[in-house]
Amino acid sequence: MDAMDDVDNLFHPSLEAALIKLDPEDGKQIMEYFRTQALLMKEKALLQASVRDQKKLLVENGKLKKDIEQLRSQLQENQRRRSAKALLSAAPPPSHTSPAPTTHVNQPAGVATNPAPPSSLDRRERQIRRRRGERKARPPSDSLSLGAEPRVDASRLDLRVGRILSVRLHPLAEGMSVQEVDVGENAPRTVVSKLGGETPLEELRGGRAVLLCNVKACKMRGVVSQARLLFCSTPDDCTELLTPPTGSTPGDRVTFLNYPGDPDRELQAKDRVWELLQPDLQVDSRGVANYKGCGFEVKGKGLCRAPSLTDGVIR
């Protein structure tokens, strides 16, 4: 942090004035080069901090796995004990008196002389089998409750870098606009957004943005929207598009170091993944977009950020 502040202090107006005085032709280009290098140093420091956080999370995950294994062993032991108790309680009590023999006079040969005990034994065996079946049916539900729940984190989002090819006002909705965006596919995607109120549309054309590409296509006031533009919003109602790092190209994936995994093919409305993740999608005090403190990263190229806003939410 102190190193970053020292880099920021280098760009004092007096330094720029001195460089321009020494070299009127190239002074401004030298200052711009210094600023670019300083931004790269900051992003490198942020990535290093993310690596340290990842190591801490790996240690915590190892501890959680051990705790889960202990809980699973305890559950299985408790289930075995309950099954044993159920079998003991279902066993017939010892009989101290023998049943009286039947007194049929003309009983044919080969017919059992005491049919009652076998039927009662059958009933008890059926009861024991039913109880065994109930006990055996419970462990799968317990194991599902421990480890089979689907993950809900930012790795399920298909975030990509896009370039806005064209932009126009929505013909039927005031305050909305329609963009054609290149996301590295054979054809551009049509996106309907709420940009276009205070944001000059001409400034959007040709710009780069971050898009959520695995949302279900839906019709918005007669125009089908095939993706979602991500932007930063602050409490005072200021908004601006998130921008990918310098050097990124349309179609580049935006990933999260601490949350690896492949995105869903399409986010299902019933799962409410976007709604569950949105409270943790934020822009921090440095303007860096992050999920639970883990930056939006284009591998090898840097982090996504809001151009000028800080301490906002991502929508």
Side-chain angles (χ1 to χ4, degrees):
M1 297 291 290
D2 294 338
M4 292 184 191
D5 295 337
D6 292 340
V7 171
D8 291 335
N9 292 333
L10 289 175
F11 305 114
H12 195 274
S14 61
L15 176 59
E16 184 174 2
L19 282 173
I20 294 174
K21 185 175 180 181
L22 290 172
D23 192 347
E25 294 182 358
D26 299 329
K28 290 185 178 180
Q29 294 181 359
I30 293 173
M31 285 301 298
E32 187 63 29
Y33 173 77
F34 285 163
R35 289 191 180 95
T36 301
Q37 293 301 315
L39 286 174
L40 291 174
M41 290 173 64
K42 288 182 180 181
E43 291 182 355
K44 182 178 179 181
L46 289 171
L47 287 173
Q48 290 174 346
S50 297
V51 170
R52 288 194 296 271
D53 293 339
Q54 183 189 24
K55 291 181 179 178
K56 292 180 181 178
L57 287 173
L58 288 174
V59 173
E60 293 176 359
N61 287 342
K63 293 180 179 179
L64 287 174
K65 287 181 179 178
K66 290 182 180 179
D67 293 341
I68 290 174
E69 289 299 328
Q70 291 178 356
L71 287 174
R72 184 180 286 111
S73 298
Q74 292 176 2
L75 284 173
Q76 291 174 349
E77 182 63 26
N78 291 337
Q79 289 161 6
R80 284 195 293 268
R81 291 178 180 177
R82 287 196 296 268
S83 298
K85 289 178 66 176
L87 290 174
L88 291 175
S89 62
S95 177
H96 298 288
T97 59
S98 59
T102 55
T103 57
H104 297 292
V105 177
N106 297 322
Q107 182 130 13
V111 177
T113 57
N114 192 8
S119 61
S120 62
L121 285 175
D122 289 341
R123 285 196 298 271
R124 282 194 290 271
E125 287 178 359
R126 285 196 297 270
Q127 291 174 357
I128 292 174
R129 283 197 296 269
R130 280 200 301 270
R131 293 187 182 184
R132 284 179 178 174
E134 292 174 1
R135 295 296 178 180
K136 289 179 181 178
R138 289 180 183 177
S141 62
D142 292 338
S143 61
L144 285 174
S145 64
L146 285 175
E149 293 183 0
R151 73 187 192 283
V152 181
D153 59 51
S155 66
R156 297 182 65 177
L157 304 178
D158 183 7
L159 300 177
R160 302 186 213 169
V161 174
R163 183 179 297 278
I164 300 175
L165 303 178
S166 65
V167 57
R168 66 183 187 275
L169 290 175
H170 195 294
L172 301 176
E174 185 178 356
M176 301 183 74
S177 61
V178 181
Q179 295 84 31
E180 298 293 329
V181 187
D182 177 14
V183 291
E185 298 174 335
N186 294 332
R189 293 199 184 197
T190 301
V191 182
V192 180
S193 67
K194 293 184 180 180
L195 296 174
E198 299 179 356
T199 306
L201 297 183
E202 290 299 325
E203 294 183 5
L204 300 177
R205 186 177 290 109
R208 291 174 303 137
V210 179
L211 288 92
L212 176 62
C213 293
N214 58 345
V215 292
K216 186 177 181 180
C218 63
K219 186 175 290 187
M220 301 179 68
R221 298 292 185 89
V223 179
V224 176
S225 182
Q226 300 171 311
R228 183 189 188 103
L229 282 170
L230 299 191
F231 59 92
C232 173
S233 176
T234 59
D236 54 356
D237 293 332
C238 294
T239 60
E240 61 185 11
L241 284 173
L242 292 184
T243 57
T246 304
S248 57
T249 58
D252 284 349
R253 279 285 313 280
V254 177
T255 58
F256 303 86
L257 182 63
N258 297 339
Y259 301 94
D262 296 326
D264 291 11
R265 184 180 180 87
E266 183 179 277
L267 296 177
Q268 300 298 320
K270 63 180 181 179
D271 295 335
R272 302 180 66 251
V273 174
W274 174 253
E275 290 79 2
L276 292 172
L277 296 179
Q278 194 172 9
D280 295 312
L281 300 173
Q282 300 178 352
V283 170
D284 62 18
S285 60
R286 292 180 172 273
V288 176
N290 68 87
Y291 168 72
K292 292 186 176 181
C294 185
F296 285 47
E297 179 186 0
V298 178
K299 288 186 178 179
K301 298 178 181 179
L303 302 171
C304 303
R305 59 179 68 241
S308 62
L309 299 180
T310 58
D311 299 317
V313 297
I314 296 174
R315 301 188 184 280

PDB file of all heavy atoms in Angstrom, residues 58-74:
ATOM      1  N   LEU A  58      -7.437 -21.814   0.876  1.00  0.00           N
ATOM      2  CA  LEU A  58      -7.133 -23.236   0.713  1.00  0.00           C
ATOM      3  C   LEU A  58      -6.923 -23.911   2.061  1.00  0.00           C
ATOM      4  O   LEU A  58      -7.368 -25.040   2.292  1.00  0.00           O
ATOM      5  CB  LEU A  58      -5.882 -23.398  -0.155  1.00  0.00           C
ATOM      6  CG  LEU A  58      -6.051 -23.069  -1.651  1.00  0.00           C
ATOM      7  CD1 LEU A  58      -4.720 -23.130  -2.366  1.00  0.00           C
ATOM      8  CD2 LEU A  58      -7.054 -24.002  -2.300  1.00  0.00           C
ATOM      9  N   VAL A  59      -6.247 -23.201   2.984  1.00  0.00           N
ATOM     10  CA  VAL A  59      -6.057 -23.765   4.325  1.00  0.00           C
ATOM     11  C   VAL A  59      -7.394 -23.926   5.034  1.00  0.00           C
ATOM     12  O   VAL A  59      -7.683 -24.956   5.664  1.00  0.00           O
ATOM     13  CB  VAL A  59      -5.109 -22.859   5.147  1.00  0.00           C
ATOM     14  CG1 VAL A  59      -5.031 -23.343   6.594  1.00  0.00           C
ATOM     15  CG2 VAL A  59      -3.717 -22.851   4.525  1.00  0.00           C
ATOM     16  N   GLU A  60      -8.261 -22.898   4.935  1.00  0.00           N
ATOM     17  CA  GLU A  60      -9.573 -22.977   5.573  1.00  0.00           C
ATOM     18  C   GLU A  60     -10.422 -24.081   4.955  1.00  0.00           C
ATOM     19  O   GLU A  60     -11.155 -24.780   5.660  1.00  0.00           O
ATOM     20  CB  GLU A  60     -10.278 -21.625   5.453  1.00  0.00           C
ATOM     21  CG  GLU A  60      -9.590 -20.515   6.252  1.00  0.00           C
ATOM     22  CD  GLU A  60     -10.260 -19.173   6.025  1.00  0.00           C
ATOM     23  OE1 GLU A  60     -11.225 -19.133   5.235  1.00  0.00           O
ATOM     24  OE2 GLU A  60      -9.824 -18.189   6.631  1.00  0.00           O
ATOM     25  N   ASN A  61     -10.328 -24.237   3.617  1.00  0.00           N
ATOM     26  CA  ASN A  61     -11.091 -25.311   2.955  1.00  0.00           C
ATOM     27  C   ASN A  61     -10.646 -26.683   3.448  1.00  0.00           C
ATOM     28  O   ASN A  61     -11.455 -27.599   3.621  1.00  0.00           O
ATOM     29  CB  ASN A  61     -10.910 -25.221   1.442  1.00  0.00           C
ATOM     30  CG  ASN A  61     -11.667 -24.066   0.844  1.00  0.00           C
ATOM     31  OD1 ASN A  61     -12.578 -23.537   1.485  1.00  0.00           O
ATOM     32  ND2 ASN A  61     -11.315 -23.649  -0.345  1.00  0.00           N
ATOM     33  N   GLY A  62      -9.316 -26.850   3.668  1.00  0.00           N
ATOM     34  CA  GLY A  62      -8.825 -28.132   4.187  1.00  0.00           C
ATOM     35  C   GLY A  62      -9.398 -28.445   5.558  1.00  0.00           C
ATOM     36  O   GLY A  62      -9.791 -29.581   5.843  1.00  0.00           O
ATOM     37  N   LYS A  63      -9.473 -27.412   6.406  1.00  0.00           N
ATOM     38  CA  LYS A  63     -10.049 -27.617   7.736  1.00  0.00           C
ATOM     39  C   LYS A  63     -11.531 -27.971   7.644  1.00  0.00           C
ATOM     40  O   LYS A  63     -12.028 -28.841   8.365  1.00  0.00           O
ATOM     41  CB  LYS A  63      -9.868 -26.356   8.578  1.00  0.00           C
ATOM     42  CG  LYS A  63      -8.409 -26.054   8.921  1.00  0.00           C
ATOM     43  CD  LYS A  63      -8.296 -24.786   9.747  1.00  0.00           C
ATOM     44  CE  LYS A  63      -6.845 -24.486  10.104  1.00  0.00           C
ATOM     45  NZ  LYS A  63      -6.722 -23.230  10.883  1.00  0.00           N
ATOM     46  N   LEU A  64     -12.238 -27.268   6.743  1.00  0.00           N
ATOM     47  CA  LEU A  64     -13.671 -27.557   6.586  1.00  0.00           C
ATOM     48  C   LEU A  64     -13.892 -28.986   6.095  1.00  0.00           C
ATOM     49  O   LEU A  64     -14.833 -29.666   6.526  1.00  0.00           O
ATOM     50  CB  LEU A  64     -14.294 -26.565   5.605  1.00  0.00           C
ATOM     51  CG  LEU A  64     -14.483 -25.138   6.124  1.00  0.00           C
ATOM     52  CD1 LEU A  64     -14.969 -24.228   5.020  1.00  0.00           C
ATOM     53  CD2 LEU A  64     -15.469 -25.119   7.291  1.00  0.00           C
ATOM     54  N   LYS A  65     -13.041 -29.469   5.182  1.00  0.00           N
ATOM     55  CA  LYS A  65     -13.196 -30.841   4.694  1.00  0.00           C
ATOM     56  C   LYS A  65     -13.019 -31.848   5.826  1.00  0.00           C
ATOM     57  O   LYS A  65     -13.744 -32.836   5.924  1.00  0.00           O
ATOM     58  CB  LYS A  65     -12.187 -31.113   3.583  1.00  0.00           C
ATOM     59  CG  LYS A  65     -12.513 -30.423   2.275  1.00  0.00           C
ATOM     60  CD  LYS A  65     -11.487 -30.748   1.207  1.00  0.00           C
ATOM     61  CE  LYS A  65     -11.841 -30.064  -0.109  1.00  0.00           C
ATOM     62  NZ  LYS A  65     -10.837 -30.336  -1.154  1.00  0.00           N
ATOM     63  N   LYS A  66     -12.026 -31.601   6.713  1.00  0.00           N
ATOM     64  CA  LYS A  66     -11.830 -32.502   7.844  1.00  0.00           C
ATOM     65  C   LYS A  66     -13.051 -32.503   8.759  1.00  0.00           C
ATOM     66  O   LYS A  66     -13.496 -33.550   9.234  1.00  0.00           O
ATOM     67  CB  LYS A  66     -10.593 -32.079   8.624  1.00  0.00           C
ATOM     68  CG  LYS A  66      -9.285 -32.333   7.888  1.00  0.00           C
ATOM     69  CD  LYS A  66      -8.082 -31.945   8.734  1.00  0.00           C
ATOM     70  CE  LYS A  66      -6.774 -32.211   7.988  1.00  0.00           C
ATOM     71  NZ  LYS A  66      -5.596 -31.797   8.804  1.00  0.00           N
ATOM     72  N   ASP A  67     -13.596 -31.290   9.010  1.00  0.00           N
ATOM     73  CA  ASP A  67     -14.793 -31.208   9.862  1.00  0.00           C
ATOM     74  C   ASP A  67     -15.962 -31.958   9.241  1.00  0.00           C
ATOM     75  O   ASP A  67     -16.721 -32.647   9.934  1.00  0.00           O
ATOM     76  CB  ASP A  67     -15.169 -29.736  10.087  1.00  0.00           C
ATOM     77  CG  ASP A  67     -14.115 -29.004  10.908  1.00  0.00           C
ATOM     78  OD1 ASP A  67     -13.322 -29.690  11.589  1.00  0.00           O
ATOM     79  OD2 ASP A  67     -14.079 -27.766  10.858  1.00  0.00           O
ATOM     80  N   ILE A  68     -16.116 -31.835   7.914  1.00  0.00           N
ATOM     81  CA  ILE A  68     -17.220 -32.518   7.234  1.00  0.00           C
ATOM     82  C   ILE A  68     -17.052 -34.026   7.324  1.00  0.00           C
ATOM     83  O   ILE A  68     -18.024 -34.772   7.548  1.00  0.00           O
ATOM     84  CB  ILE A  68     -17.300 -32.057   5.772  1.00  0.00           C
ATOM     85  CG1 ILE A  68     -17.784 -30.599   5.715  1.00  0.00           C
ATOM     86  CG2 ILE A  68     -18.229 -32.950   4.967  1.00  0.00           C
ATOM     87  CD1 ILE A  68     -17.748 -30.010   4.327  1.00  0.00           C
ATOM     88  N   GLU A  69     -15.816 -34.524   7.152  1.00  0.00           N
ATOM     89  CA  GLU A  69     -15.575 -35.962   7.262  1.00  0.00           C
ATOM     90  C   GLU A  69     -15.893 -36.461   8.671  1.00  0.00           C
ATOM     91  O   GLU A  69     -16.472 -37.541   8.848  1.00  0.00           O
ATOM     92  CB  GLU A  69     -14.106 -36.275   6.915  1.00  0.00           C
ATOM     93  CG  GLU A  69     -13.765 -36.112   5.449  1.00  0.00           C
ATOM     94  CD  GLU A  69     -14.575 -37.048   4.571  1.00  0.00           C
ATOM     95  OE1 GLU A  69     -14.898 -38.155   5.030  1.00  0.00           O
ATOM     96  OE2 GLU A  69     -14.904 -36.665   3.433  1.00  0.00           O
ATOM     97  N   GLN A  70     -15.528 -35.681   9.704  1.00  0.00           N
ATOM     98  CA  GLN A  70     -15.849 -36.077  11.074  1.00  0.00           C
ATOM     99  C   GLN A  70     -17.357 -36.125  11.291  1.00  0.00           C
ATOM    100  O   GLN A  70     -17.882 -37.058  11.909  1.00  0.00           O
ATOM    101  CB  GLN A  70     -15.195 -35.111  12.050  1.00  0.00           C
ATOM    102  CG  GLN A  70     -13.667 -35.211  12.100  1.00  0.00           C
ATOM    103  CD  GLN A  70     -13.053 -34.209  13.040  1.00  0.00           C
ATOM    104  OE1 GLN A  70     -13.752 -33.371  13.614  1.00  0.00           O
ATOM    105  NE2 GLN A  70     -11.732 -34.274  13.208  1.00  0.00           N
ATOM    106  N   LEU A  71     -18.059 -35.110  10.770  1.00  0.00           N
ATOM    107  CA  LEU A  71     -19.522 -35.095  10.921  1.00  0.00           C
ATOM    108  C   LEU A  71     -20.156 -36.279  10.199  1.00  0.00           C
ATOM    109  O   LEU A  71     -21.103 -36.901  10.708  1.00  0.00           O
ATOM    110  CB  LEU A  71     -20.082 -33.780  10.365  1.00  0.00           C
ATOM    111  CG  LEU A  71     -19.834 -32.534  11.207  1.00  0.00           C
ATOM    112  CD1 LEU A  71     -20.313 -31.299  10.463  1.00  0.00           C
ATOM    113  CD2 LEU A  71     -20.561 -32.642  12.550  1.00  0.00           C
ATOM    114  N   ARG A  72     -19.642 -36.597   9.002  1.00  0.00           N
ATOM    115  CA  ARG A  72     -20.203 -37.731   8.263  1.00  0.00           C
ATOM    116  C   ARG A  72     -19.986 -39.037   9.024  1.00  0.00           C
ATOM    117  O   ARG A  72     -20.872 -39.885   9.111  1.00  0.00           O
ATOM    118  CB  ARG A  72     -19.558 -37.814   6.877  1.00  0.00           C
ATOM    119  CG  ARG A  72     -20.160 -38.919   6.011  1.00  0.00           C
ATOM    120  CD  ARG A  72     -19.521 -38.987   4.633  1.00  0.00           C
ATOM    121  NE  ARG A  72     -19.970 -37.885   3.812  1.00  0.00           N
ATOM    122  CZ  ARG A  72     -19.205 -36.878   3.426  1.00  0.00           C
ATOM    123  NH1 ARG A  72     -17.946 -36.839   3.797  1.00  0.00           N
ATOM    124  NH2 ARG A  72     -19.687 -35.921   2.660  1.00  0.00           N
ATOM    125  N   SER A  73     -18.796 -39.195   9.629  1.00  0.00           N
ATOM    126  CA  SER A  73     -18.519 -40.407  10.413  1.00  0.00           C
ATOM    127  C   SER A  73     -19.441 -40.497  11.619  1.00  0.00           C
ATOM    128  O   SER A  73     -19.970 -41.567  11.948  1.00  0.00           O
ATOM    129  CB  SER A  73     -17.056 -40.410  10.870  1.00  0.00           C
ATOM    130  OG  SER A  73     -16.183 -40.421   9.755  1.00  0.00           O
ATOM    131  N   GLN A  74     -19.662 -39.350  12.280  1.00  0.00           N
ATOM    132  CA  GLN A  74     -20.568 -39.345  13.420  1.00  0.00           C
ATOM    133  C   GLN A  74     -21.987 -39.694  13.015  1.00  0.00           C
ATOM    134  O   GLN A  74     -22.681 -40.454  13.711  1.00  0.00           O
ATOM    135  CB  GLN A  74     -20.537 -37.974  14.096  1.00  0.00           C
ATOM    136  CG  GLN A  74     -19.202 -37.654  14.775  1.00  0.00           C
ATOM    137  CD  GLN A  74     -19.166 -36.263  15.351  1.00  0.00           C
ATOM    138  OE1 GLN A  74     -20.159 -35.527  15.280  1.00  0.00           O
ATOM    139  NE2 GLN A  74     -18.033 -35.879  15.908  1.00  0.00           N
TER     140      GLN A  74
END
